[in-house]
Coordinates of all heavy atoms in Angstrom, one line a residue:
F1 N 0.8 -1.2 0.0 CA 0.0 0.0 0.0 C 0.9 1.2 0.0 O 1.8 1.3 0.8 CB -0.9 0.0 1.2 CG -1.6 1.3 1.4 CD1 -2.6 1.7 0.5 CD2 -1.4 2.2 2.5 CE1 -3.2 3.0 0.6 CE2 -2.0 3.4 2.6 CZ -3.0 3.8 1.7
V2 N 0.6 2.1 -0.9 CA 1.3 3.4 -1.0 C 0.3 4.5 -0.6 O -0.6 4.8 -1.5 CB 2.0 3.7 -2.3 CG1 2.7 5.0 -2.3 CG2 2.9 2.5 -2.7
G3 N 0.4 5.1 0.5 CA -0.6 6.1 1.0 C -0.1 7.5 0.7 O -0.9 8.4 0.9
G4 N 1.1 7.7 0.4 CA 1.7 9.0 0.1 C 3.0 8.8 -0.7 O 3.6 7.8 -0.5
G5 N 3.3 9.8 -1.5 CA 4.5 9.8 -2.2 C 4.4 9.1 -3.6 O 5.5 8.7 -4.1
A6 N 3.2 9.0 -4.1 CA 3.1 8.4 -5.4 C 3.9 9.1 -6.5 O 4.3 8.5 -7.5 CB 1.6 8.3 -5.8
T7 N 4.1 10.4 -6.3 CA 4.9 11.2 -7.3 C 6.4 11.1 -7.2 O 7.1 11.6 -8.0 CB 4.5 12.7 -7.2 OG1 4.8 13.2 -5.9 CG2 3.0 12.9 -7.5
T8 N 6.9 10.4 -6.1 CA 8.3 10.1 -6.0 C 8.8 9.3 -7.1 O 8.3 8.2 -7.4 CB 8.6 9.4 -4.6 OG1 8.1 10.2 -3.6 CG2 10.1 9.2 -4.5
P9 N 9.8 9.8 -7.9 CA 10.3 9.0 -9.0 C 10.7 7.6 -8.7 O 11.4 7.3 -7.7 CB 11.6 9.8 -9.4 CG 11.3 11.2 -8.9 CD 10.6 11.0 -7.6
L10 N 10.1 6.7 -9.5 CA 10.4 5.3 -9.5 C 9.9 4.6 -8.2 O 10.2 3.4 -8.1 CB 11.9 5.0 -9.6 CG 12.6 5.5 -10.9 CD1 14.1 5.3 -10.9 CD2 11.9 4.9 -12.2
L11 N 9.2 5.3 -7.3 CA 8.7 4.6 -6.1 C 7.7 3.5 -6.5 O 7.9 2.3 -6.0 CB 8.0 5.6 -5.2 CG 7.3 5.0 -4.0 CD1 8.3 4.2 -3.1 CD2 6.6 6.0 -3.1
L12 N 6.7 3.8 -7.3 CA 5.7 2.8 -7.6 C 6.4 1.6 -8.4 O 6.0 0.4 -8.2 CB 4.6 3.4 -8.4 CG 3.8 4.5 -7.7 CD1 2.5 4.8 -8.5 CD2 3.4 4.1 -6.3
D13 N 7.3 1.9 -9.3 CA 8.0 0.8 -10.0 C 8.7 -0.1 -9.1 O 8.7 -1.3 -9.2 CB 9.0 1.4 -11.0 CG 8.3 2.3 -12.1 OD1 8.1 3.5 -11.8 OD2 8.0 1.8 -13.1
A14 N 9.4 0.5 -8.0 CA 10.1 -0.3 -7.1 C 9.2 -1.2 -6.3 O 9.5 -2.4 -6.0 CB 11.0 0.6 -6.1
C15 N 8.0 -0.6 -5.9 CA 7.0 -1.4 -5.2 C 6.5 -2.6 -6.0 O 6.4 -3.7 -5.6 CB 5.9 -0.5 -4.7 SG 6.3 0.7 -3.5
W16 N 6.2 -2.3 -7.3 CA 5.6 -3.3 -8.2 C 6.7 -4.4 -8.4 O 6.3 -5.6 -8.4 CB 5.3 -2.6 -9.5 CG 4.5 -3.5 -10.5 CD1 5.0 -4.0 -11.6 CD2 3.2 -3.9 -10.4 NE1 4.1 -4.7 -12.3 CE2 2.9 -4.7 -11.6 CE3 2.1 -3.7 -9.5 CZ2 1.7 -5.2 -11.8 CZ3 0.9 -4.2 -9.8 CH2 0.7 -5.0 -10.9
D17 N 7.9 -4.0 -8.6 CA 9.0 -5.0 -8.9 C 9.2 -5.9 -7.7 O 9.6 -7.1 -7.8 CB 10.3 -4.3 -9.3 CG 10.2 -3.7 -10.6 OD1 9.3 -4.0 -11.4 OD2 11.1 -2.8 -10.9
A18 N 9.0 -5.4 -6.4 CA 9.2 -6.2 -5.2 C 8.1 -7.2 -5.0 O 8.3 -8.2 -4.3 CB 9.3 -5.2 -4.0
L19 N 6.9 -6.9 -5.5 CA 5.8 -7.8 -5.2 C 6.0 -9.3 -5.7 O 6.6 -9.5 -6.7 CB 4.5 -7.3 -5.9 CG 3.6 -6.3 -5.2 CD1 2.5 -5.9 -6.2 CD2 3.0 -7.0 -4.0
R20 N 5.5 -10.2 -4.8 CA 5.5 -11.6 -5.3 C 4.5 -11.7 -6.4 O 3.5 -10.9 -6.5 CB 5.1 -12.5 -4.1 CG 6.1 -12.5 -2.9 CD 5.6 -13.4 -1.9 NE 6.4 -13.4 -0.7 CZ 7.5 -14.2 -0.5 NH1 7.9 -15.0 -1.5 NH2 8.2 -14.1 0.6
E21 N 4.6 -12.8 -7.2 CA 3.7 -13.1 -8.2 C 2.3 -13.3 -7.6 O 2.1 -14.0 -6.6 CB 4.1 -14.3 -9.0 CG 3.2 -14.6 -10.2 CD 3.6 -15.8 -11.0 OE1 4.7 -16.3 -10.8 OE2 2.9 -16.2 -11.9
G22 N 1.3 -12.6 -8.1 CA -0.1 -12.7 -7.6 C -0.3 -11.7 -6.5 O -1.4 -11.6 -5.9
G23 N 0.7 -10.9 -6.1 CA 0.6 -9.9 -5.1 C -0.3 -8.7 -5.5 O -0.4 -8.4 -6.7
R24 N -0.8 -8.0 -4.5 CA -1.7 -6.9 -4.8 C -1.0 -5.6 -4.5 O -0.3 -5.5 -3.4 CB -3.0 -6.9 -4.0 CG -4.0 -8.0 -4.4 CD -3.7 -9.4 -3.8 NE -3.8 -9.3 -2.4 CZ -3.1 -10.2 -1.6 NH1 -2.3 -11.1 -2.1 NH2 -3.3 -10.1 -0.3
M25 N -1.2 -4.5 -5.3 CA -0.7 -3.2 -4.9 C -1.9 -2.2 -5.0 O -2.7 -2.2 -5.9 CB 0.4 -2.7 -5.9 CG 1.1 -1.5 -5.4 SD 2.7 -1.2 -6.2 CE 2.3 -0.2 -7.6
V26 N -2.0 -1.4 -4.0 CA -3.0 -0.3 -3.9 C -2.3 1.0 -3.6 O -1.5 1.1 -2.7 CB -4.0 -0.7 -2.8 CG1 -5.1 0.4 -2.6 CG2 -4.7 -2.0 -3.0
V27 N -2.7 2.0 -4.4 CA -2.1 3.3 -4.2 C -3.3 4.4 -4.1 O -4.2 4.4 -4.9 CB -1.2 3.7 -5.4 CG1 -0.5 5.0 -5.1 CG2 -0.2 2.6 -5.7
N28 N -3.2 5.2 -3.1 CA -4.2 6.3 -2.9 C -3.6 7.6 -3.3 O -2.4 7.9 -3.0 CB -4.6 6.3 -1.4 CG -5.5 5.1 -1.1 OD1 -5.7 4.2 -1.8 ND2 -6.0 5.2 0.2
A29 N -4.4 8.5 -3.9 CA -4.0 9.8 -4.3 C -5.1 10.8 -4.0 O -6.3 10.6 -4.1 CB -3.7 9.8 -5.8

């Protein structure tokens, strides 16, 4: 879950790459 900092460069990419296969990602803006 990313509750803040979605505009931080490459943050969402790093979170997505870290996820296990089948993992869920949720981002609030």
Side-chain angles (χ1 to χ4, degrees):
F1 170 65
V2 181
T7 57
T8 302
L10 301 179
L11 173 61
L12 299 190
D13 297 87
C15 291
W16 186 254
D17 291 343
L19 268 177
R20 296 180 185 274
E21 185 177 353
R24 289 85 60 205
M25 190 162 92
V26 177
V27 187
N28 289 4

